[in-house]
Amino acid sequence: MSMFNMTLIIDASYFLAAVLFIYGLKRMGSPMTARGGIVWAGAGMMLATVVTFLFPGMSNYLLMIIAIGLGGIIAWVSGKKVAMTDMPQMIALYNGMGGGAAAAIAAVELYSGKDHGLTFGILAVLGGFIGAVSFSGSLVAFAKLQGFKNTTLRFRGQQIVNLIILLSTLIMAVIVITQPDIGNTISIFFILALILGITMTVPIGGADMPVVISLYNAFTGLAVAFEGFVQQNPAMIIAGTVVGAAGSLLTQLMAKAMNRSLANVLFSGFGETTSEEGTEVSGSMKPIDATDVGVMMAFANKVLIVPGYGMAVAQAQHKVWELTQLLIDRDVDVKFAIHPVAGRMPGHMNVLLAEAGVPYDIIYDENEINSEFESADVALIIGANDVVNPVARTDPSSPIYGMPILNADYAKNVIVIKRGQGAGFSGIENALFFLDQTRMLYGDGQEMASELIQAVKSL
Amino acid sequence: MDQIIQIDGFIALYIFMLAGFVGHEIIGKVPAILHTPLMSGSNFIHGIVLVGAMVALGRAVTPLEQTIGFIGVFLGAGNAVGGYVVTERMLEMFKRSKDKKS
């Protein structure tokens, strides 16, 4: 086959891959077609990868196959094994790998000493910079969520130190672009960028990590697009840019749902502030037992279930779904009310419920369901806390003031399944627990759900 | 490699601009329930970096370039394969309530 035909096949395949990526991502936007979406995108990836072996002027095929095999197998096994609750950190890990790959492309291009011209030189360096930050930053995010490194390191003047590292990296970047022949500048540049990714991420608290992971996802996309320009590869340019834009928007949506600005997430701490809560909450928490709750729910017209990450930690979602089915059989209208930040990242709770078999058409977003709490006989809160705290609406001195919440306090009866009496993740006292219509069902989420099942069954 | 079309200057900018809008539009209307799978799905799609890393390794000459290229391909393959596996696992679970019990 002539070289020209080969190039044509490669170009056509990359074009097709880009079409499949966009089509696949589009289909992933609706729960009905989402599964097909990833399969189409996967076909595009397979095509692009296979065709790249035909690229003219290449060698090192054995190394290439070994690297693909190693990386592929490790990722395949870990991806198949990971529990749904650990999904956020796995996304961070795979995303970091992508950023690292983009940085590696930049490094090979720069070390080769090829003259890229000013524009492509800048793009190569910029892509390498963003990719390296995404790589080390994502690994820190992974380690934090996985629990390898729980402590959040903070010291005074940290922002200034980060700024100095950032500026030094940028200065090295300029030198790499303008004076490519000077000694070890390329290595120093990459090392600085990697350090910056670490020092940027270390001070960010666990609660904010999803926003950061999403941001790094957008970073990697952008880095891939820039390296795509350098390598003149349209599939990389388009896929990278689409992800860069989509990821930026997703990051904003997440930050908004958490009532945080992106600058706030990156440059200040929430998660671990020992917050002095605003107004003291008065009243007492009134306990109830499972039998009474069972009766209450079985004879209700409408029950809204508000699950939080605590439910997933207690592995109670299967029992909760069993309970839901019993209630539906008794003609109770049961719906799940999901706060955007329930779980560890937006949409995570939906994944956890889907795993338990809960169909997505009885799961509702905060803005779809909030008007229905007033007509609900029972709001069952299981493992959720801050997202149903009415002080977010009423108390301007509270750190969560202004955060969109689920209006569980409007329901006629509120049942809270909770392990003990302590305050929530953020350390803020929950006014909902002290309301007149609220009863506390103390115990482990899974055990309590089982007791509720027994209570409803015995009626 | 000699390209048929050189992607630079304004052509590059046009592609960048249009692809950026596509990404923005695609995500804009997605319900929050799909945000986690979607983030995972977009994470998979930038796994295309594997292709670039393969070309980088394929053209690498010195041992240093080969080592970095090898690491790049390894990481890129991890991104693509891992991203696919976890996204597919999540999306596979989304089901409708088929038989309405009455």
Side-chain angles (χ1 to χ4, degrees), chain A residues 289-353:
Chain A
D289 63 40
T291 322
D292 294 344
V293 179
V295 173
M296 193 190 275
M297 291 203 297
F299 294 102
N301 285 316
K302 189 194 245 178
V303 173
L304 297 181
I305 301 177
V306 182
Y309 191 63
M311 181 196 72
V313 172
Q315 284 294 315
Q317 57 268 45
H318 295 272
K319 292 286 177 197
V320 170
W321 172 227
E322 201 183 326
L323 173 67
T324 307
Q325 285 169 300
L326 285 174
L327 293 174
I328 291 173
D329 286 344
R330 298 184 65 103
D331 280 334
V332 181
D333 181 13
V334 186
K335 286 173 181 165
F336 284 83
I338 310 287
H339 190 271
V341 295
R344 275 189 155 170
M345 59 168 75
H348 190 201
M349 185 52 62
N350 304 80
V351 172
L352 296 168
L353 289 175

Side-chain angles (χ1 to χ4, degrees), chain A residues 20-307:
Chain A
L20 288 172
F21 288 156
I22 294 173
Y23 180 65
L25 205 54
K26 176 83 199 152
R27 286 182 75 89
M28 277 184 241
S30 157
M32 269 167 287
T33 55
R35 171 75 211 290
I38 183 69
V39 175
W40 281 112
M45 189 71 74
M46 190 61 103
L47 175 69
T49 309
V50 169
V51 117
T52 302
F53 280 104
L54 305 175
F55 223 80
M58 294 215 304
S59 49
N60 300 325
Y61 285 109
L62 185 62
L63 279 177
M64 211 179 284
I65 290 166
I66 294 172
I68 292 176
L70 269 180
I73 289 168
I74 291 172
W76 179 274
V77 172
S78 61
K80 283 281 179 198
K81 264 195 352 208
V82 60
M84 284 297 156
T85 40
D86 293 340
M87 221 31 113
Q89 56 263 45
M90 286 320 274
I91 297 175
L93 180 65
Y94 300 139
N95 175 55
M97 294 178 92
I105 295 172
V108 173
E109 292 284 343
L110 293 171
Y111 279 121
S112 73
K114 215 172 2 176
D115 182 23
H116 291 96
L118 185 61
T119 314
F120 289 127
I122 292 173
L123 285 174
V125 169
L126 217 52
F129 170 58
I130 301 170
V133 168
S134 173
F135 174 67
S136 59
S138 296
L139 290 188
V140 172
F142 166 76
K144 277 197 170 194
L145 290 180
Q146 190 72 15
F148 293 149
K149 203 197 143 300
N150 256 332
T151 48
T152 297
L153 180 72
R154 285 164 167 279
F155 52 86
R156 280 205 311 166
Q158 195 159 21
Q159 302 307 340
I160 295 166
V161 172
N162 283 353
L163 191 68
I164 291 169
I165 301 173
L166 172 68
L167 289 178
S168 321
T169 319
L170 292 179
I171 291 168
M172 291 313 289
V174 172
I175 297 174
V176 170
I177 295 165
T178 53
Q179 315 278 328
D181 319 317
I182 302 179
N184 290 321
T185 47
I186 300 173
S187 310
I188 298 170
F189 161 70
F190 277 109
I191 290 167
L192 280 173
L194 290 171
I195 293 174
L196 181 65
I198 296 171
T199 56
M200 255 176 75
T201 320
V202 163
I204 298 169
D208 285 333
M209 224 24 109
V211 179
V212 177
I213 295 173
S214 179
L215 181 71
Y216 287 148
N217 187 37
F219 272 18
T220 304
L222 212 55
V224 172
F226 287 170
E227 299 311 324
F229 281 117
V230 176
Q231 289 196 334
Q232 292 287 301
N233 182 327
M236 280 168 72
I237 297 173
I238 291 170
T241 310
V242 167
V243 174
S248 306
L249 182 60
L250 205 53
T251 310
Q252 281 169 8
L253 290 176
M254 284 190 189
K256 209 172 123 195
M258 296 169 75
N259 195 33
R260 312 265 283 133
S261 77
L262 195 53
N264 223 318
V265 169
L266 290 176
F267 303 121
S268 78
F270 179 53
E272 66 294 311
T273 42
T274 47
S275 57
E276 310 92 289
E277 73 241 35
T279 326
E280 276 289 309
V281 188
S282 59
S284 60
M285 299 201 234
K286 296 162 279 291
I288 192 170
D289 63 40
T291 322
D292 294 344
V293 179
V295 173
M296 193 190 275
M297 291 203 297
F299 294 102
N301 285 316
K302 189 194 245 178
V303 173
L304 297 181
I305 301 177
V306 182

Side-chain angles (χ1 to χ4, degrees), chain B residues 3 7 14 16 20 28-29 31 39 44 63 65 68 80 89-90:
Chain B
Q3 293 289 141
I7 309 169
Y14 277 121
F16 193 67
K29 300 173 210 87
M39 184 159 133
F44 161 69
E65 290 166 30
I68 300 171
R89 269 186 66 195
M90 280 192 270

